[in-house]
Amino acid sequence: MADEEKQPKAPGGATHDPDEQARRAVEAVWRIEAPRLVAGLAGLVHDLGLAEELAQDALVAALTQWPAEGVPRNPGAWLMTTAKRRAIDQIRRNERLARNLQQLGREQEIEQRLRSAPTEPAAPGEIQDDLLRLVFTACHPVLSREARVALTLRLLGGLGTEEIARAFLVAEPTVAQRIVRAKRTLAEKQVPFEVPQGAALGERLASVLEVVYLVFNEGYAATAGEDWMRPRLCEDALRLARVLQGLLPNEPEVHGLAALLELHASRAGARTDAAGDPVLLLEQDRSRWDRLLVLRGFAALARSEEQARARGLASGPYALQAAIAACHARAAGADATDWAAIARLYGALAAQTGSPVVELNRAVAVGMAEGPEAGLALVDALAATAPALGDYHLLPSVRGDLLARLGREDEARAEFARAVSLTRNRAEQALLRQRAGMQEPSQGPTMEG
C-alpha cells in the first residue's frame, strides 16, 4: 500500500511510471503474441522446446529494452526478429555442430531457413497454419492428459508455470517437470510439427478438443481449493475454442465445443452470490446471464448443426451438451425449461459416450420432467451398476436432492453429508452442508450450475 501511495496514478488506476507502463505493455503484447511467436519459430526450427526457449529469450530482451527505448511500433515483428537472431547465435555456439555431421546439416538447414525467413509478420493464413500445427503438437496423444493441458496453457494460453500451478493447485515444480517431460517426449518420439490429415485428423482433433474442455471444466467447477470457479481458466479455454473455430471452420465438433463453452460462460456472473457463495442453476437470476455470450453460443451451435448436416453426421458429444445448455438458455426459468427434451438429449449423449456421469445427469433431468421418484429409480440403478461413481460426490448429492423432494429428509441429510466427505472444494462443501440442514424439500438441484 505504501508503494501505491508513492506511485502517481492516472485516472482509472493507470500508472505514469514509464518502467511500469513498459512492463505492462510487454505483458499485454506477450499474451497476444506468444502463441504466434512460438508457432512461427517452431515452424522454422522444428523443435518445440527450442522454439519456446527462443521466444522466452525475446521476452527477456523486450523487458530489458522496451522500458528504455519504448514499445516498438510492431511488437510482434520485433519479438520475431530478436528470437531469430538468438536462434542463429545459439546454433553457432552449439558444440554439437563439430561432433555430429548429421546434426550439423540439420542445424545449418535451420539457420538457412531463419536467414531467409521474412522479418515482417507472416500473412494471416501462414500464421493460422503455424498455430494449428502448434495446437496439434501440444495436444499430441503421446503425452499424458496432464502434460497436454500444461503444455497447451503454456504455449497457447501464454500462462507461466506459476499460474498453471496455482490454477490446478499443484506444486510449481510439478508443472515445470510436466512441461519439460512433455517437450522431451515430443522430441524423443519425433512428433512432427504438422497438422494430421485424413482419418488421423479426427483422432487427433478429439485430443485437442478434450484439452480445451478440461481446461474450461477446471475453471468452471474447480476440483479442489477455496474457490468454486477459476475464471481465468474459463477465459483461456474459451479463447482457445474461438481460435480453433477460425482454424477449423468446417469441423462440427469444434463449433459444438465453442457453443458449449460460450453458453456455460454466459452464466458465470450468476453462479455466485454477493458473498461469493455458489448459486445452483435453478436458483440463478437469469437476467444476469451474459446475453452476448448466449447469442454467440446459439450461433456456434447452429453452425455445428449445419456442418454436421452437410457432412451427413449426427451431432457429436460437444454439440449435444451445447444443445442441452441451449435449452436452459432459452427458458425464462426452471419451470419453463423443457426437461423432457433435455432428458432425451442426455439419452443420446449417453448412447455415444457410455458415461455414467452423463447417465446421472439424465436422471436429474428425468426427475425434473417426470418427478423425483422416476429420477431416484434411475440413480439407484446407476449406483448399483456403476462402481466408477462410488467416490463421485455428485451421486449422493443428486440422490439427496431427490430424497428431499420426496420428503425423506433424514435420508437426504445422510446423502448430503456423504457428498461433503467426497468433495475437496471448500465452497461446494459449504453448500452441501447448508443443504444437509434443510428441513423442507428442495425444488432445486441439478448437477449443473
Side-chain angles (χ1 to χ4, degrees):
M1 179 60 73
D3 289 342
E4 290 180 357
E5 290 172 352
K6 292 174 184 175
Q7 178 62 52
K9 297 284 187 180
T15 175
H16 290 301
D17 179 65
D19 290 346
E20 178 63 12
Q21 287 181 340
R23 186 186 65 77
R24 291 185 181 182
V26 172
E27 288 179 353
V29 169
W30 178 252
R31 190 153 179 80
I32 296 169
E33 296 292 343
R36 286 183 286 190
L37 182 62
V38 173
L41 289 167
L44 293 171
V45 302
H46 293 185
D47 183 323
L48 202 55
L50 176 58
E52 195 191 13
E53 289 175 16
L54 295 170
Q56 292 283 349
D57 284 348
L59 172 65
V60 171
L63 287 168
T64 303
Q65 295 183 34
W66 291 6
E69 301 172 5
V71 178
R73 191 169 59 178
N74 189 335
W78 190 98
L79 289 168
M80 176 60 83
T81 300
T82 302
K84 285 167 56 182
R85 287 176 182 155
R86 299 295 171 97
I88 292 172
D89 291 344
Q90 182 167 328
I91 289 172
R92 283 176 172 171
R93 290 195 304 268
N94 196 328
E95 294 180 356
R96 288 178 298 175
L97 286 172
R99 298 195 303 265
N100 189 324
L101 289 178
Q102 184 177 4
Q103 185 71 4
L104 172 63
R106 175 175 172 272
E107 293 185 349
Q108 284 180 334
E109 179 187 341
I110 293 171
E111 182 173 346
Q112 182 58 40
R113 279 202 300 271
L114 287 165
R115 286 187 176 283
S116 60
T119 55
E120 291 300 315
E126 294 174 356
I127 291 173
Q128 285 195 343
D129 289 345
D130 283 340
L131 275 174
L132 198 53
R133 283 192 284 267
L134 184 61
V135 170
F136 276 92
T137 302
C139 298
H140 198 283
V142 298
L143 304 176
S144 70
R145 177 183 290 182
E146 293 79 7
R148 275 181 271 156
V149 168
L151 193 59
T152 300
L153 286 175
R154 173 66 169 268
L155 298 180
L156 291 156
L159 272 66
T161 305
E162 181 184 356
E163 292 174 290
I164 300 170
R166 189 167 59 244
F168 286 91
L169 300 180
V170 295
E172 189 174 345
T174 301
V175 171
Q177 289 171 7
R178 284 177 185 170
I179 293 173
V180 169
R181 282 199 295 265
K183 288 187 285 192
R184 186 190 306 145
T185 299
L186 292 174
E188 290 174 351
K189 299 290 184 182
Q190 297 185 336
V191 172
F193 186 68
E194 65 181 16
V195 178
Q197 302 296 320
L201 175 62
E203 179 185 348
R204 293 274 298 281
L205 180 59
S207 174
V208 171
L209 298 183
E210 181 192 28
V211 167
V212 178
Y213 182 74
L214 287 172
V215 171
F216 186 89
N217 263 1
E218 187 58 30
Y220 195 71
T223 306
E226 301 289 338
D227 300 323
W228 199 27
M229 294 185 67
R230 299 195 179 97
R232 174 72 178 273
L233 285 179
C234 291
E235 293 168 7
D236 284 323
L238 186 53
R239 185 170 58 82
L240 290 175
R242 290 170 178 168
V243 168
L244 286 173
Q245 276 186 291
L247 297 174
L248 297 165
N250 299 322
E251 291 294 333
E253 276 292 81
V254 171
H255 294 293
L257 177 64
L260 175 63
L261 303 196
E262 299 276 9
L263 289 167
H264 276 260
S266 73
R267 306 174 191 166
R271 294 190 75 232
T272 53
D273 61 19
D277 295 327
V279 180
L280 291 176
L281 174 63
L282 302 189
E283 298 160 357
Q284 289 171 13
D285 177 0
R286 299 191 182 197
S287 68
R288 297 180 63 196
W289 288 10
D290 188 320
R291 296 310 298 176
L292 176 59
L293 294 181
V294 168
L295 293 175
R296 289 182 65 100
F298 287 166
L301 180 58
R303 186 69 185 275
S304 174
E305 293 169 343
E306 176 187 341
Q307 292 295 326
R309 279 196 303 273
R311 295 172 59 177
L313 301 173
S315 293
Y318 297 116
L320 287 171
Q321 291 179 73
I324 292 167
C327 284
H328 290 298
R330 292 190 189 100
D335 292 342
T337 302
D338 189 346
W339 291 105
I342 291 175
R344 286 195 298 274
L345 288 166
Y346 273 125
L349 184 60
Q352 286 191 15
T353 64
S355 165
V357 173
V358 173
E359 286 287 4
L360 185 60
N361 277 288
R362 188 172 75 88
V364 172
V366 169
M368 295 299 292
E370 303 175 19
E373 286 186 348
L376 185 60
L378 291 176
V379 171
D380 286 346
L382 191 58
T385 58
L389 293 181
D391 293 327
Y392 187 49
H393 70 285
L394 287 179
L395 178 65
S397 175
V398 168
R399 193 168 189 276
D401 178 72
L402 294 166
L403 287 166
R405 290 171 59 195
L406 289 167
R408 296 160 60 177
E409 284 86 0
D410 289 344
E411 295 172 83
R413 275 193 291 274
E415 290 294 331
F416 287 133
R418 174 169 162 69
V420 169
S421 70
L422 293 176
T423 181
R424 291 184 292 144
N425 183 282
R426 300 287 177 80
E428 197 162 28
Q429 285 175 345
L431 174 68
L432 289 166
R433 285 196 184 94
Q434 181 186 13
R435 299 180 71 196
M438 289 179 178
Q439 297 300 316
E440 296 294 332
S442 164
Q443 294 300 313
T446 71
M447 296 183 50
E448 296 184 86

